[in-house]
Amino acid sequence: GAVYVDTSPDSSRTRRSRGGSLGLEMSTYTAPRTNFGQPPPGYVAGIGRGAVGFTTRSDIGPARPAAGGDAPPGFAGAEKKAANYGDANFDKFSGFNENLFGGGKLDAEDIEADKVYAAIDRRMDSKRKIRREERVKKEMEEYRKKRPKIQEQFRDLKRGLGGLSEADWESIPEPLDYSRRHRKKTSRIQTFTPVPDKILRQAGLGAGQSQYASGMATPATGMMTPAGWSTPTGFMTPGARSGFATPAGWQTPSGIGLRSGWATPAGYATPAGYQTPGFATPGAGRKDLTQLGRARDKMLGIKLDRVADSVTGQTVIDPKGYLTDLNSSVKVQSSSDLQDIKKARLLLKSVITTNPKHGPGWIAAARLEQETGRLVVARNLIMKGCDTVPKSDDVWLEAAKMHSKENAKAILAKAIRYIPTSKKIWLAACKYEGTIEAKKAVLRRALELIPHSVDLWKAAVELENPDDARVMLSRAVELIPTSVELWIALARLETYKNARKVLNRARKAIPTEPQIWITAAKLEEANGNIQNVETIISKAVTSLAAHQVVIDRDSWLQEAEKAEKGNSKITCQAIVRTTIGIGIDPQDQKNTWLNDAEHYQSRGSIETTRAIYAHLLAKYPAKRKIWEKAAQFERQHGDSGSLDALLKKAVHYCPKAEVLWLMWAKEKWVSGDVTSAREILKQAFAANTDSEDVWVAAVKLEVETKEFARARGLLAKARERAGTERIWMKSAILERRLGKLQECENLLQSGTARYPSFDKLWMMLGQLHASRGEIEAARKAFRQGVKKCPKSTALWLCYANLEVDQKQYSRARSLLETSRMKISKDAELWLAAIQVEEKAGNKKVVKQIMAKALQECPSAGILWAHAIATDPPPARKSRSYDALKRCSDDPNVFVSVAKLFWLDGKQRKARNWFNRAITVNPNLGDAWAWFYRFEKDHGRKSKIQRVLKKCIEAEPTHGKRWCVVSKDVFNSGLKTEEILKLVEQKLPTDLFAT
């Protein structure tokens, strides 16, 4: 046999063939090597002919082709499933599910294209992000409306916690465990807390009395109770050591435990008594249980005081000596405070040791000891500081404060020997003197040593009489010629002539001081030389400018304000006229001066404001608005004479300003001078021919004075010469007030024909027909009116109210829907629709309409106020909070919030909200009526009169309830005060009645 060796490059196995019985020698054959190149991926040598022997999964790897290549045929994963590109596998949006180009190679262009597409995707996503977030936010809001959070449901209750006081928080009980297990456990356990014997001895036992360990001796027969308690139901006494055994349930866990085992209720003192004749303690006498109860109460009080001291920070001191044995201040409340004091003492000791010449260190160390109650140590420490730092006046002054009066005088005398020129030491020494003469002596001695101290001179002058003070001030100004205070004080003590000389000398000594000039002006005014005041102020400005002094107009205006407070009005006016224009551009003068006038008026400086307005009017005499503001100022702060003079000048410079003529005529009429008012209106007619406002004012004057014939004549002339829709309306109103309804109807018919777009004429015509019961005629008038004036909210409301009065709710509903189509986002129309449904009894529809109304008009105060009124009481606070967030300056909401506080009894807050309402809109009559009702119920007479006075000044004309009363024909001619009282009487008793 022969052996064949397989020498292929991928196999090293050798095949051998042995000879049989022939015994031939073995031979070897080697085949030549052949290079076939790199083997294909996944190739296994000999696997094609099955010459692989025993193989496992770890030998051949996973049953799928290797990454990056194809497996040979016949192996797992070698045959790929053909891609399906049929119509069934095609989607219109995403195309084929197969990866068409999965086998291609990824090159640089493909990478760049992927980056471009990724950038485009990010850009498109950023564009959709805002809309996506808005959609998510909207969906979340809708979800929260349907399923609100628990914290939102309790929001009004949580907001109410802010008003709880500290006492209310303390009164909240602690949470208890009501579980059965805890109740069973506590029912079995009874805790007995005996009081120490020391407390018993202090409370009940006297000094020198004997005590026995056995306590009270009880006869063998037990207890005999005179009150009638028998043994089975009362007190059974098995023995002295076992205590009270009470089958009837009398157990005293909180009692006082005696040595003999008696558990005695603390404080049981019963008149019927548990009197046991056999209870006698030898040598001790009879003890009252009341004393033991008092001892228990005393101990409890001490504990409560400690608790209060640790919780609230208040120091509780027993007046009978509690904590006095500590021999220290009660400010040290805890060990931490004591440690802080020790640290501070150590630190200050280090300060005065390392730097003994530092005066504040000695003062701080002494004050620390004084605060902790160690006064002797503090005095010794501060005196040591005086010896160490003898040149520090603060240390000497601190030492004087810590000692008694006599010792302080001695300390200051010693200090003067070390620091004879210290002004503080001399003033303190003067303070400690008891008599005026002693104080004078001290100050005179001080002035000998310190002649240039202004404070010493002032203190010395205050103690002298006027003559001696004048002599001293004369000497003082010689020594200190630069002291303005001394010069002015000397001038005040001198006569008029000498005062002028003094001020002239002062002006030469201090040429840069404006106070000397102002004092000179006040001196001239006080002595009647009014003509010199203006000259002095003008020279002051010129002289100060020549000496390079900056003229600050704000500072000079403040000096004018001070002069006004000092009752120097002429000086105030002169300062304003001279300095108000300094440093202001001509184009900014008017606005700046108007702001100055408003500023000083708000500060209460009346004369300063009047002077500013006078300067404004002199500079701009033809400006109507300035005259109006000045007239308003004089009406508030002046008298009738000053206002009359101002308005007379105003119409002279502004004859075409109708407002000024009317203000002048009204002031005359209010003061009762009707003749002068008529004369003023005649002059106004001459200056303003055919002016509607002047005609109306003349008619109003005649109507108020009951001159109806003259009023009708004036209106007839006005319709001919100045025929306007307002003149026609006033004419119809006068005829209706006089009861001449036919003439009124004729005027309204003619007026609507001439002025079809004037809605008030149509409203008056419809209301006239309705008042006479002519419903169809009224409907016709309103129907024609809404056609001619489709944008008039008031006309639509009148038409709808007519149908509501006739209980035609469907017609009213239809009219209001039509009006909302004509006039969008009108809160009054929405409110009328809500009220119609309320009267019809459709509660569900009311809620729906209210929701739509608030959605369309989120800032309408009348809708929010009505929503607050119609909500149930628990929900009103949360609704008012939402209303204030949406409309923060609406008077209707303010009135509703004030009513809420009114109901809660919070009068101060309610008054504040009422004041806000009338401040935001003083023309709302309903707010005034509710405020007047509130003050009548809770306020004093002064507050009621204040509200009444403010209402008369405001002259309100709007408000639903107000207009019902004021526009009633029977209430024509009533004054504001009378209308206010009528409206208040007609207010409902329910604050939130609609």
Side-chain angles (χ1 to χ4, degrees):
V3 177
Y4 299 95
V5 180
D6 188 1
T7 60
S8 59
D10 44 24
S11 178
S12 59
R13 296 183 177 88
T14 303
R15 297 184 180 274
R16 296 177 180 269
S17 176
R18 297 180 182 271
S21 61
L22 297 179
L24 297 179
E25 192 174 353
M26 185 179 301
S27 63
T28 304
Y29 170 75
T30 302
R33 292 181 176 272
T34 303
N35 186 8
F36 295 101
Q38 290 294 331
Y43 172 76
V44 179
I47 198 171
R49 60 181 184 272
V52 293
F54 179 79
T55 59
T56 62
R57 176 62 65 186
S58 60
D59 294 327
I60 62 176
R64 55 185 177 87
D70 298 331
F75 291 91
E79 295 181 1
K80 289 186 178 180
K81 184 179 180 181
N84 184 9
Y85 298 119
D87 294 338
N89 202 27
F90 178 77
D91 184 71
K92 293 183 179 181
F93 179 75
S94 58
F96 287 103
N97 294 329
E98 300 293 339
N99 191 355
L100 299 180
F101 304 101
K105 293 183 178 180
L106 190 66
D107 54 7
E109 293 181 356
D110 295 333
I111 295 174
E112 183 178 0
D114 291 342
K115 291 182 180 179
V116 171
Y117 281 113
I120 293 174
D121 291 339
R122 288 194 299 270
R123 177 64 176 170
M124 296 301 294
D125 183 68
S126 64
K127 286 185 176 181
R128 301 188 191 99
K129 182 179 180 181
I130 298 176
R131 293 195 298 269
R132 184 170 64 252
E133 291 179 352
E134 290 178 354
R135 185 178 69 255
V136 171
K137 183 179 180 181
K138 186 176 180 181
E139 292 176 354
M140 182 58 67
E141 289 178 355
E142 293 178 355
Y143 177 80
R144 289 303 179 194
K145 288 180 181 179
K146 296 179 181 178
R147 297 182 180 179
K149 295 181 179 179
I150 296 179
Q151 60 182 6
E152 294 180 357
Q153 295 178 4
F154 290 91
R155 182 172 56 186
D156 54 339
L157 300 177
K158 291 170 65 178
R159 193 180 301 116
L161 295 178
L164 291 179
S165 62
E166 186 175 355
D168 295 334
W169 282 105
E170 293 294 338
S171 63
I172 297 176
E174 296 292 337
L176 302 177
D177 188 0
Y178 294 99
S179 62
R180 292 183 179 178
R181 181 183 305 173
H182 181 73
R183 192 156 52 240
K184 290 180 180 179
K185 184 177 180 180
T186 55
S187 63
R188 300 192 196 101
I189 302 174
Q190 297 178 358
T191 304
F192 295 88
T193 306
V195 178
D197 295 340
K198 181 180 179 181
I199 301 299
L200 295 178
R201 286 196 298 270
Q202 293 178 357
L205 301 178
Q209 293 178 348
S210 61
Q211 303 176 24
Y212 296 92
S214 59
M216 300 180 180
T218 307
T221 55
M223 293 180 59
M224 300 291 294
T225 57
W229 293 86
S230 60
T231 302
T233 59
F235 295 93
M236 293 179 63
T237 312
R241 293 185 179 179
S242 59
F244 277 130
T246 55
W250 291 75
Q251 296 177 356
T252 56
S254 60
I256 299 177
L258 301 179
R259 292 186 180 181
S260 59
W262 294 80
T264 307
Y268 255 140
T270 55
Y274 305 126
Q275 300 176 359
T276 310
F279 281 27
T281 304
R286 305 182 66 178
K287 307 303 175 190
D288 189 3
L289 294 180
T290 307
Q291 295 182 0
L292 300 181
R294 290 174 182 172
R296 194 278 308 263
D297 293 340
K298 182 178 180 181
M299 189 64 187
L300 181 60
I302 293 174
K303 291 181 178 180
L304 290 177
D305 290 342
R306 290 177 180 175
V307 172
D309 189 42
S310 62
V311 173
T312 62
Q314 300 176 353
T315 303
V316 181
I317 302 175
D318 186 5
K320 295 183 179 179
Y322 180 58
L323 284 181
T324 54
D325 57 339
L326 295 179
N327 197 18
S328 64
S329 175
V330 295
K331 294 182 179 179
V332 183
Q333 299 176 357
S334 62
S335 60
S336 61
D337 295 341
L338 188 59
Q339 292 297 327
D340 293 340
I341 292 173
K342 290 181 178 179
K343 290 179 181 178
R345 186 179 288 119
L346 183 62
L347 179 62
L348 292 174
K349 183 179 180 181
S350 174
V351 170
I352 60 180
T353 303
T354 56
N355 189 7
K357 298 297 182 180
H358 185 61
W362 291 99
I363 295 173
R367 285 182 179 176
L368 176 64
E369 301 299 340
Q370 184 183 19
E371 290 295 325
T372 55
R374 304 173 66 185
L375 186 58
V376 176
V377 177
R379 288 174 177 176
N380 295 333
L381 194 60
I382 196 66
M383 291 308 299
K384 186 177 180 181
C386 293
D387 296 336
T388 307
V389 196
K391 297 296 183 180
S392 175
D393 51 2
D394 292 331
V395 177
W396 288 104
L397 291 174
E398 190 66 26
K401 290 179 183 179
M402 290 186 180
H403 287 77
S404 62
K405 185 176 181 180
E406 296 299 328
N407 294 335
K409 292 169 65 175
I411 291 171
L412 292 175
K414 185 178 179 181
I416 289 173
R417 289 198 295 269
Y418 285 99
I419 321 172
T421 58
S422 174
K423 177 182 62 177
K424 294 181 181 180
I425 298 294
W426 285 106
L427 289 175
C430 175
K431 180 181 177 182
Y432 281 105
E433 294 295 338
T435 61
I436 300 296
E437 296 300 327
K439 292 183 177 182
K440 289 181 180 180
V442 170
L443 290 175
R444 287 173 182 173
R445 178 59 180 165
L447 289 173
E448 292 177 1
L449 298 174
I450 318 171
H452 298 286
S453 174
V454 177
D455 293 334
L456 289 176
W457 280 106
K458 289 169 63 177
V461 168
E462 289 177 356
L463 298 175
E464 303 291 342
N465 56 49
D467 295 334
D468 295 339
R470 189 182 305 112
V471 174
M472 293 190 69
L473 285 173
S474 300
R475 178 60 179 165
V477 295
E478 292 177 1
L479 295 173
I480 316 173
T482 57
S483 175
V484 180
E485 297 179 72
L486 297 179
W487 282 109
I488 293 177
L490 179 59
R492 289 174 179 171
L493 293 176
E494 294 286 355
T495 61
Y496 171 60
K497 292 183 179 180
N498 293 334
R500 295 182 66 181
K501 294 179 182 179
V502 169
L503 291 175
N504 287 330
R505 289 168 53 198
R507 190 162 58 245
K508 293 178 182 178
I510 318 173
T512 59
E513 180 55 50
Q515 284 295 333
I516 299 175
W517 293 93
I518 296 173
T519 305
K522 293 179 181 179
L523 177 65
E524 296 296 334
E525 180 182 357
N527 289 273
N529 299 324
I530 307 299
Q531 65 279 0
N532 295 337
V533 176
E534 189 83 25
T535 305
I536 291 174
I537 298 299
S538 300
K539 287 184 178 180
V541 175
T542 305
S543 175
L544 292 172
H547 286 85
Q548 305 299 321
V549 177
V550 178
I551 307 299
D552 185 9
R553 64 179 292 275
D554 294 332
S555 301
W556 279 89
L557 289 178
Q558 293 176 5
E559 293 296 334
E561 189 177 16
K562 293 179 182 178
E564 176 188 351
K565 294 179 180 179
N567 202 21
S568 300
K569 298 181 181 179
I570 305 301
T571 304
C572 169
Q573 296 172 4
I575 293 174
V576 171
R577 285 193 296 269
T578 306
T579 61
I580 194 171
I582 297 176
I584 298 187
D585 295 334
Q587 61 270 20
D588 298 333
Q589 286 181 349
K590 186 180 72 170
N591 294 331
T592 304
W593 294 343
L594 285 174
N595 293 334
D596 291 338
E598 293 177 359
H599 171 69
Y600 284 101
Q601 181 179 356
S602 64
R603 290 169 59 92
S605 303
I606 306 304
E607 291 299 328
T608 306
T609 308
R610 184 176 285 114
I612 295 174
Y613 274 124
H615 187 75
L616 264 168
L617 294 174
K619 187 74 174 180
Y620 303 99
K623 296 294 183 179
R624 176 180 59 84
K625 290 186 177 180
I626 300 178
W627 286 105
E628 290 181 16
K629 290 187 176 182
Q632 292 291 343
F633 170 76
E634 291 296 338
R635 178 183 292 177
Q636 295 177 3
H637 305 284
D639 53 10
S640 57
S642 61
L643 179 58
D644 184 70
L646 181 69
L647 290 173
K648 187 175 182 179
K649 290 182 180 179
V651 297
H652 174 71
Y653 286 105
C654 303
K656 296 296 182 181
E658 301 171 358
V659 178
L660 298 176
W661 288 103
L662 297 179
M663 290 176 66
W664 193 14
K666 183 178 180 179
E667 291 301 324
K668 289 293 184 181
W669 169 63
V670 170
S671 61
D673 193 355
V674 180
T675 305
S676 299
R678 287 174 180 160
E679 186 64 29
I680 292 171
L681 290 176
K682 287 182 181 179
Q683 298 177 16
F685 276 122
N688 301 275
T689 308
D690 300 334
S691 172
E692 178 187 290
D693 292 333
V694 177
W695 280 108
V696 172
V699 171
K700 184 177 181 180
L701 176 64
E702 301 300 339
V703 170
E704 294 295 337
T705 55
K706 308 298 182 182
E707 297 290 342
F708 298 113
R710 299 184 64 173
R712 294 182 69 188
L714 287 173
L715 286 171
K717 291 180 181 179
R719 290 196 299 272
E720 295 175 0
R721 298 174 58 180
T724 61
E725 57 268 22
R726 189 180 175 195
I727 297 294
W728 283 87
M729 182 186 69
K730 294 293 182 181
S731 301
I733 291 175
L734 179 61
E735 297 297 339
R736 185 182 63 180
R737 179 177 178 179
L738 297 176
K740 300 180 180 181
L741 300 182
Q742 189 60 43
E743 288 80 355
C744 176
E745 183 180 356
N746 295 335
L747 287 172
L748 291 173
Q749 293 288 357
S750 302
T752 52
R754 296 184 64 176
Y755 308 102
S757 60
F758 189 58
D759 55 347
K760 291 186 179 181
L761 293 176
W762 291 107
M763 285 189 284
M764 292 179 63
L765 181 59
Q767 290 173 354
L768 178 63
H769 287 302
S771 64
R772 295 191 296 188
E774 301 170 356
I775 304 303
E776 292 300 327
R779 285 174 177 164
K780 181 179 178 181
F782 286 134
R783 192 181 304 114
Q784 293 177 354
V786 296
K787 288 181 180 179
K788 300 294 183 179
C789 311
K791 298 295 182 179
S792 175
T793 302
L795 190 55
W796 283 104
L797 292 176
C798 289
Y799 195 2
N801 289 335
L802 175 67
E803 300 298 344
V804 171
D805 293 339
Q806 302 301 318
K807 297 186 179 181
Q808 299 291 332
Y809 299 118
S810 59
R811 288 188 178 183
R813 190 181 299 112
S814 176
L815 286 172
L816 292 173
E817 289 178 357
T818 305
S819 65
R820 291 199 299 272
M821 294 173 61
K822 302 283 185 180
I823 311 170
S824 60
K825 297 183 179 181
D826 193 291
E828 294 183 1
L829 295 176
W830 281 105
L831 180 59
I834 294 170
Q835 292 173 345
V836 167
E837 300 301 337
E838 288 176 349
K839 292 181 180 180
N842 301 326
K843 295 183 179 180
K844 294 183 179 180
V845 180
V846 168
K847 293 182 180 180
Q848 296 175 0
I849 298 178
M850 177 63 76
K852 292 180 181 179
L854 292 176
Q855 186 176 4
E856 186 171 346
C857 306
S859 60
I862 55 175
L863 291 177
W864 284 106
H866 191 81
I868 294 172
T870 54
D871 278 350
R876 285 173 181 167
K877 289 186 178 180
S878 59
R879 178 76 79 169
S880 63
Y881 180 75
D882 297 337
L884 289 173
K885 287 175 60 179
R886 294 302 182 98
C887 35
S888 58
D889 56 351
D890 191 276
N892 296 284
V893 177
F894 290 169
V895 171
S896 298
V897 175
K899 291 178 183 179
L900 288 175
F901 287 116
W902 186 354
L903 285 177
D904 292 344
K906 300 177 181 179
Q907 300 175 12
R908 181 177 298 177
K909 291 186 177 181
R911 185 175 289 108
N912 292 338
W913 282 101
F914 276 125
N915 280 319
R916 288 187 184 184
I918 62 176
T919 302
V920 170
N921 186 7
N923 202 26
L924 185 61
D926 291 1
W928 287 104
W930 282 112
F931 196 10
Y932 186 68
R933 164 74 67 83
F934 170 77
E935 293 297 353
K936 282 184 64 178
D937 291 348
H938 301 94
R940 298 187 297 269
K941 290 184 178 180
S942 59
K943 293 185 177 181
I944 296 173
Q945 293 300 323
R946 189 182 306 165
V947 172
L948 194 60
K949 181 181 178 181
K950 288 184 178 180
C951 181
I952 294 173
E953 293 176 357
E955 296 182 355
T957 56
H958 291 78
K960 180 181 177 182
R961 302 181 189 278
W962 185 274
C963 292
V964 170
V965 176
S966 62
K967 293 187 178 182
D968 192 351
V969 179
F970 299 101
N971 297 330
S972 299
L974 294 181
K975 296 182 179 180
T976 304
E977 179 180 356
E978 299 171 342
I979 296 174
L980 176 63
K981 293 181 179 180
L982 285 176
V983 175
E984 186 273 329
Q985 291 175 2
K986 294 186 177 182
L987 290 177
T989 55
D990 184 6
L991 298 183
F992 289 100
T994 57

